[in-house]
């Protein structure tokens, strides 16, 4: 399955989004589709063997809208999009000014009719219905042109949307007024006063345009995180070509180019330092507040800022492969996705407009039947059509998700989808891997001893054999043994290891100098029939101190034991305490033996430990916790954590870990700082609280607004809602929802909550 993101044109309300989504889902080969009204985007999963971009675009066109492929990360594309949005706003402002001036004039002329008072200061000619007709017509058909065009498109496809309601409501007021202007005597013959409602039609259109302007600007702010991320990218890079330093556009940098970075400059692409030292401010990408020291062999990230020294690095990832580009892509995908809570709003908006039209017709029939007054019946109907706005429902969830995921990205937290953001606030148990998650993932050998009286009691000789085997492994513990051997004087030219084999979760073995060398856990060596009792005292003492112990056997005989310590991350203790304050059960999951695991757990304050777990069993342990009725999050960084990350309700990967773990997770912590877990959960809770507020406002507005507009209070109070007030309320309902979502930008994480 491939994923495609389309930029949509012509959407004006949530009903439009629902219609486009149904049209795309109807294309053979489309597996899934999410249309985001707030972003004007559709994220589509499809089978390229069964359908193509052109077919999907045609389905959107046939539904009465437009669609173009969205570029993942392109400064020019972003600038173009912003320019188009600003151009659209300028047209909207022009119509708003003209509509506003005319509406004020019409309102002044209509005050005597609306209030029933004789106001001598108002010129009589302002009340002339023919003048009001001339003034209202350009507002109705030029300022309101977009409503008519969209409503006509919907009608051609036998559908209805928000524009249909606006056109029906304002047209009813306008054409009724035209009829009264042309045939006032006919109206008097019916026992009615020939009152016109030009000011209602013009003012309603003007207020709706004002609401759309505010909404457009507010929705533009919800995408601010994407624009900021794209804006972080450097424009040029200084590289060495043909032994000369040249400045080239960033898109011309190629893999393996040598890039020169001076103090204060942005690093253009991802790479590896080959010469020089410096400190790098990575806060804009990772959220890490302190500058990070870099030296030859260290990785650097594009868009971060060089602080102190000059250095050269080799470009490893360019263009769409850079970490920044991947962050932008993930944030775009997350903002385009739907939270499960949005399904309710989607179901409502799907049948909302037809239901409103039915209520409007019923309102007209009831009022005319009971009161026999055509004017009252018509006005009540117009109010129902105008006040019923499904836009607020359509914006309630996606705007909050957009802001929330954007905030996460600026804090070094990548949330892959709205569903992960929603589920995260429900987490009850959080499972932490030990190595690379709670600990720094850079273990060192702290203790080493050999058995006495055996063939390899010479420590250097045994270390040489152990290092020869372990250099074939990528495991952090293997690297620690190799580095220790070199530090103890073992020559760099190690003997060759043949028939190397890594036994997952147990150890490694190989033949070195015709001798079988096996290094691993006590449990594994016992399974091989090797007596491990000789060094049991040392082993137990080291494990009690929190060391990971590896035993070394040669030709089936125990020869030595190594104690390896992996320092806790500075953030681990604070993060665990903060998670517990949030009411979460914190569990440590590790392949280490129980004694070592409990020693580490006691240092960070974790009470529940699951130890002696083989990699393939980690997912089973997560499943067991889920069977206890708990919503479980798993935090890990290694390849062996990937199944558990995928099994968990929410998988959280440490961004400094492997690509496999990151791919299997729902949330990625770029910096590797565990306090980001706390931030992610707090952000999830804040976002869901915000969504619930939005949905409450949207539902209450419609539940209360439609009956009031229909005149339910009239029998008790004699009061009818003015159509102009209905139009203003409808226009600002969406604005209120978007504004409430923007409050999320004030979110501040706290470890003390």
């Amino acid at each position: 399955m491939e994923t495609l993101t389309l930029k949509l044109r012509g959407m004006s309300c949530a009903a439009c989004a629902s219609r486009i989504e149904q049209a795309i889902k109807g294309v053979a080969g489309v597996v899934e589709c999410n249309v985001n009204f707030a972003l004007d985007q559709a994220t589509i999963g499809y089978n390229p063997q069964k359908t193509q971009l052109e077919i999907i675009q045609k389905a959107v066109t046939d539904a009465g809208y437009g669609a173009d492929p969205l570029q993942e990360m392109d400064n020019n594309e972003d600038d173009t999009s912003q320019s188009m949005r600003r151009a659209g706003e300028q047209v909207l402002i022009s119509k708003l000014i003209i509509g506003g001036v005319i509406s004020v004039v019409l309102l002044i002329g209509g005050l005597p009719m609306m209030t029933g008072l004789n106001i001598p200061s108002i010129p009589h000619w302002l009340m002339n219905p023919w003048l009001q007709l001339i003034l209202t017509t350009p507002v109705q058909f030029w300022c309101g042109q977009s409503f008519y065009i969209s409503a006509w498109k919907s009608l051609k496809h036998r559908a209805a949307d928000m524009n249909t309601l606006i056109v029906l409501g304002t047209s009813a007021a306008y054409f009724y007024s035209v009829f009264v202007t042309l045939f006032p005597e006919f109206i008097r013959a019916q026992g009615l006063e020939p009152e016109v409602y030009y000011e209602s039609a013009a003012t309603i259109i003007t207020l709706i345009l004002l609401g759309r302007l505010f909404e457009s600007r507010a929705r533009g702010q919800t995408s601010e995180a994407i624009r900021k991320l794209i804006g972080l990218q450097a424009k040029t890079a200084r590289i060495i070509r043909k032994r000369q330093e040249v400045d080239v556009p960033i898109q011309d940098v190629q893999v393996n180019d040598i890039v020169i970075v001076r103090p204060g400059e942005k690093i253009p692409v991802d790479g590896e330092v080959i010469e020089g030292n410096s400190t790098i401010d990575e806060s804009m990408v990772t959220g890490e507040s302190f500058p990070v020291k870099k030296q030859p062999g260290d990785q650097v990230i594009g868009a971060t800022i060089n602080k102190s020294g000059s250095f050269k690095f080799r470009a490893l990832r360019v263009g769409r492969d850079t970490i920044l580009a991947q962050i932008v892509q993930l944030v775009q995908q997350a903002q385009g996705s739907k939270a499960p809570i949005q399904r309710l709003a989607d179901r409502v908006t799907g049948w909302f407009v037809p239901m409103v039209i039915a209520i409007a017709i019923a309102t007209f029939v009831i009022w005319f039947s009971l009161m026999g007054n055509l004017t009252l019946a018509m006005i009540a109907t117009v109010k129902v059509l105008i006040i019923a706005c499904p836009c607020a429902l359509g914006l309630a969830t996606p705007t909050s998700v957009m802001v929330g995921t954007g905030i996460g990205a600026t804090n070094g937290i990548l949330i892959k989808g709205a569903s992960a953001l929603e589920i995260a606030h429900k987490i009850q148990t959080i499972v932490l891997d030990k190595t690379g998650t709670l600990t720094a993932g850079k273990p060192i050998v702290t203790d080493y001893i050999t058995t006495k009286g055996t063939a390899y009691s010479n420590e250097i000789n045994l270390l040489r054999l152990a290092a020869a085997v372990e250099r074939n492994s990528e495991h952090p513990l293997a690297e620690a043994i190799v580095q220790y051997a070199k530090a103890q004087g073992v020559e760099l030219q190690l003997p060759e290891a043949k028939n190397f084999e890594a036994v997952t979760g147990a150890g490694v073995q190989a033949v070195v100098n015709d001798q079988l060398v096996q290094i691993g856990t006590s449990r594994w060596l016992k399974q091989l029939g090797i007596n491990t009792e000789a060094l049991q005292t040392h082993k137990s003492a080291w494990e009690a101190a929190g060391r990971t112990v590896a035993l070394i056997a040669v030709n089936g005989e125990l020869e030595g034991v190594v104690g390896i310590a992996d320092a806790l991350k500075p953030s681990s203790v604070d993060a665990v305490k903060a998670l517990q304050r949030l009411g979460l059960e914190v569990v440590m999951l590790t392949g280490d033996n129980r004694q070592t695991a409990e020693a580490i757990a006691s240092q960070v304050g974790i009470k529940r430990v699951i130890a002696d777990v083989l990699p393939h069993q980690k997912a089973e342990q997560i499943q067991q916790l889920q069977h206890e009725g708990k919503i479980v999050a798993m935090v890990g960084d290694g390849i062996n954590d990937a199944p558990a990350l995928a099994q968990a309700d929410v998988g959280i990967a440490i961004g400094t870990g492997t690509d496999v773990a990151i791919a299997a997770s729902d949330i990625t912590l770029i910096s590797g700082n565990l306090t980001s877990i706390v931030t992610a959960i707090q952000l999830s809770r804040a976002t869901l609280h915000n969504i619930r507020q939005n949905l409450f406002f949207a539902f209450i507005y419609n539940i209360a607004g439609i009956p009031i507009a229909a005149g339910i209070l009239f029998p008790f109070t004699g009061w009818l809602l003015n159509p102009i007030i209905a139009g203003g309320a409808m226009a600002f309902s969406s604005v209120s929802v978007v504004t409430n979502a923007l409050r999320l930008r004030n979110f501040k994480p706290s470890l003390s909550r």
Side-chain angles (χ1 to χ4, degrees):
M1 185 177 77
E2 292 188 8
T3 301
L4 169 69
T5 303
L6 296 178
K7 187 70 175 178
L8 301 171
R9 290 178 277 108
M11 279 204 304
S12 58
C13 69
C16 300
S18 178
R19 190 177 315 121
I20 294 173
E21 189 169 292
Q22 293 304 316
I24 295 175
K25 285 180 176 179
V27 176
V30 171
V31 179
E32 58 184 24
C33 174
N34 287 324
V35 173
N36 189 314
F37 172 50
L39 271 180
D40 292 325
Q41 288 180 13
T43 304
I44 304 155
Y46 70 101
N47 184 342
Q49 304 297 323
K50 295 184 178 180
T51 191
Q52 297 176 343
L53 168 63
E54 292 76 13
I55 298 174
I56 297 173
Q57 285 179 297
K58 185 176 184 301
V60 177
T61 303
D62 290 344
Y65 304 90
D68 301 298
L70 181 72
Q71 300 297 322
E72 288 173 359
M73 180 177 176
D74 188 330
N75 282 313
N76 294 330
E77 179 75 16
D78 184 65
D79 293 341
T80 301
S81 177
Q82 288 302 305
S83 298
M84 290 176 63
R85 186 177 67 82
R86 284 192 291 268
E89 286 185 1
Q90 286 303 316
V91 173
L92 198 56
I93 289 171
S94 299
K95 291 184 176 182
L96 190 57
I97 291 172
I98 292 173
V101 171
I102 292 175
S103 295
V104 169
V105 173
L106 291 170
L107 281 170
I108 293 173
L111 276 176
M113 186 199 74
M114 287 187 287
T115 61
L117 301 175
N118 183 20
I119 307 176
S121 59
I122 297 177
H124 184 74
W125 56 268
L126 279 181
M127 306 175 200
N128 188 307
W130 288 98
L131 174 64
Q132 293 183 358
L133 170 61
I134 293 170
L135 291 175
T136 305
T137 299
V139 178
Q140 185 73 32
F141 299 108
W142 181 68
C143 296
Q145 180 184 29
S146 61
F147 305 138
Y148 280 94
I149 292 173
S150 297
W152 174 246
K153 287 181 178 178
S154 298
L155 181 61
K156 286 197 300 184
H157 293 89
R158 296 185 294 277
D161 61 11
M162 186 58 219
N163 297 289
T164 308
L165 301 182
I166 296 170
V167 167
L168 286 174
T170 59
S171 295
Y174 175 81
F175 286 109
Y176 174 80
S177 299
V178 170
F179 183 83
V180 170
T181 303
L182 294 173
F183 307 105
E185 295 305 322
F186 176 82
I187 299 298
R188 289 191 180 96
Q190 306 300 314
L192 302 173
E193 285 298 317
E195 297 176 343
V196 293
Y197 295 92
Y198 291 118
E199 79 287 343
S200 295
T203 306
I204 286 167
I205 288 176
T206 302
L207 287 171
I208 293 170
L209 291 176
L210 179 63
R212 289 198 172 177
L213 176 64
F214 288 161
E215 181 186 313
S216 173
R217 292 188 170 177
R219 285 165 65 182
Q221 292 178 48
T222 61
S223 300
E224 187 176 353
I226 289 286
R227 291 196 296 276
K228 282 184 176 180
L229 287 170
I230 294 176
L232 292 175
Q233 189 178 38
K235 302 295 187 294
T236 61
R238 184 176 294 107
I239 64 174
I240 299 176
R241 283 190 181 162
K242 298 180 180 179
R243 299 183 180 179
Q244 291 185 338
E245 294 183 16
V246 293
D247 289 335
V248 300
I250 189 171
Q251 57 266 28
D252 291 344
V253 179
Q254 301 175 3
V255 174
N256 291 325
D257 274 345
I258 304 302
V259 184
I260 301 171
V261 185
R262 294 170 182 168
E265 292 183 337
K266 281 186 178 181
I267 297 170
V269 296
D270 301 352
E272 181 180 325
V273 178
I274 58 172
E275 181 182 321
N277 297 274
S278 186
T279 55
I280 307 293
D281 179 3
E282 297 182 339
S283 59
M284 66 284 295
V285 175
T286 67
E288 193 66 51
S289 56
F290 296 103
V292 181
K293 292 182 179 179
K294 300 291 182 180
Q295 59 188 11
D298 289 338
Q299 302 280 314
V300 292
I301 303 172
T304 56
I305 299 175
N306 182 28
K307 300 292 288 185
S308 56
S310 298
F311 63 91
K312 297 178 182 178
F313 73 92
R314 177 177 287 103
L316 298 180
R317 291 180 294 274
V318 300
R320 295 184 180 181
D321 295 328
T322 63
I323 289 177
L324 179 63
Q326 293 176 33
I327 291 173
V328 170
Q329 183 181 0
L330 284 171
V331 175
Q332 286 177 333
Q333 289 175 354
Q335 292 188 339
S337 62
K338 284 187 180 180
I341 198 172
Q342 190 174 343
R343 293 170 188 159
L344 174 61
D346 285 348
R347 285 197 298 269
V348 171
T349 54
W351 48 260
F352 189 84
V353 174
M355 182 189 72
V356 169
I357 294 174
I359 292 174
I361 294 172
T363 300
F364 180 87
V365 171
I366 292 171
W367 269 95
F368 190 71
S369 300
L370 295 178
M371 306 295 292
N373 190 316
L374 179 64
T375 299
L376 287 177
M378 187 274 294
I379 292 301
T381 303
V382 169
K383 289 181 294 183
V384 170
L385 291 170
I386 293 302
I387 203 168
C389 175
C391 297
L393 282 173
L395 289 167
T397 299
T399 47
S400 297
V401 169
M402 287 167 63
V403 177
T405 52
I407 291 171
T410 56
N411 282 275
I413 302 166
L414 296 186
I415 302 166
K416 290 188 179 179
S419 58
L421 189 65
E422 178 174 342
I423 296 172
H425 90 286
K426 302 177 183 177
I427 294 172
Q428 298 167 301
T429 299
I430 188 158
V431 180
L432 304 176
D433 176 52
K434 181 178 77 69
T435 305
T437 301
L438 283 168
T439 63
K442 295 181 179 178
I444 59 172
V445 173
T446 55
D447 306 278
Y448 169 56
I449 193 170
T450 63
T451 57
K452 295 181 180 179
T454 60
Y456 291 95
S457 59
N458 183 305
E459 295 182 6
I460 295 297
N461 287 337
L462 185 59
L463 273 179
R464 182 179 293 108
L465 293 176
V469 176
E470 293 286 22
R471 69 175 176 178
N472 294 281
S473 172
E474 296 180 353
H475 197 283
L477 299 183
E479 177 64 19
I481 292 174
V482 172
Q483 293 302 320
Y484 179 76
K486 291 179 179 179
Q488 298 304 311
V490 173
E491 64 268 22
L492 296 178
Q493 190 62 39
L494 296 171
E496 181 183 0
K498 301 178 181 178
N499 302 326
F500 175 82
E501 179 185 2
V503 181
T504 305
V508 294
Q509 63 182 13
V511 176
V512 183
N513 293 339
D514 297 324
Q515 297 174 91
L516 177 62
V517 181
Q518 296 164 311
I519 310 169
T521 64
S522 175
R523 180 176 56 188
W524 182 51
L525 294 188
K526 286 179 180 178
Q527 290 174 353
L528 296 174
I530 298 173
N531 186 350
T532 62
E533 297 300 321
L535 299 171
Q536 185 62 40
T537 302
H538 296 284
K539 174 179 172 295
S540 299
W542 296 348
E543 288 175 344
R547 307 283 193 268
T548 297
V549 175
L551 281 63
I552 306 171
V554 179
N555 293 330
E557 296 290 336
L558 183 66
E559 298 293 347
V561 61
V562 178
I564 303 170
D566 188 3
L568 286 171
K569 289 180 179 178
S571 60
S572 293
V573 175
D574 290 339
V576 170
K577 289 181 179 178
L579 289 169
Q580 291 170 339
R581 279 195 293 270
L582 288 174
L584 303 178
E585 177 191 25
V586 183
V587 179
M588 187 173 80
L589 180 65
T590 179
D592 272 348
N593 66 78
R594 176 159 295 279
Q595 194 172 14
T596 301
E598 289 182 345
I600 296 294
S602 65
Q603 295 178 38
V604 294
I606 295 176
K607 297 180 174 59
R608 184 171 180 178
V609 177
I610 303 174
D612 291 311
V613 179
L614 296 175
H616 69 275
Q617 296 173 329
K618 287 188 175 182
E620 296 173 6
Q621 293 294 331
I622 297 296
Q623 195 172 33
Q624 186 172 332
L625 289 169
Q626 291 170 326
H627 286 160
E628 295 176 13
K630 298 173 180 175
I631 296 175
V632 181
M634 168 70 191
V635 185
D637 74 318
I639 292 175
N640 59 1
D641 297 323
L645 290 170
Q647 173 64 43
D649 297 289
V650 179
I652 303 175
I654 302 297
T656 49
T658 66
D659 291 341
V660 176
I662 294 172
S665 66
D666 303 299
I667 298 174
T668 300
L669 312 180
I670 305 173
S671 68
N673 189 324
L674 285 192
T675 55
S676 296
I677 303 173
V678 183
T679 302
I681 293 174
Q682 289 176 344
L683 177 60
S684 170
R685 293 181 176 182
T687 303
L688 263 294
H689 181 66
N690 191 270
I691 289 173
R692 290 193 184 102
Q693 288 176 335
N694 286 347
L695 288 173
F696 175 79
F697 294 151
F699 276 117
I700 287 298
Y701 167 83
N702 284 289
I703 290 171
I706 292 175
I708 291 173
I712 195 171
L713 298 179
F714 183 77
F716 310 102
T717 64
W719 177 77
L720 283 174
L721 184 68
N722 191 295
I724 295 174
I725 297 175
M730 187 282 288
F732 286 98
S733 62
S734 298
V735 177
S736 63
V737 166
V738 177
T739 303
N740 186 57
L742 289 175
R743 289 193 311 107
L744 267 177
R745 295 192 299 177
N746 300 322
F747 169 82
K748 300 293 181 186
S750 173
L751 292 180
S752 60
R753 292 182 195 174

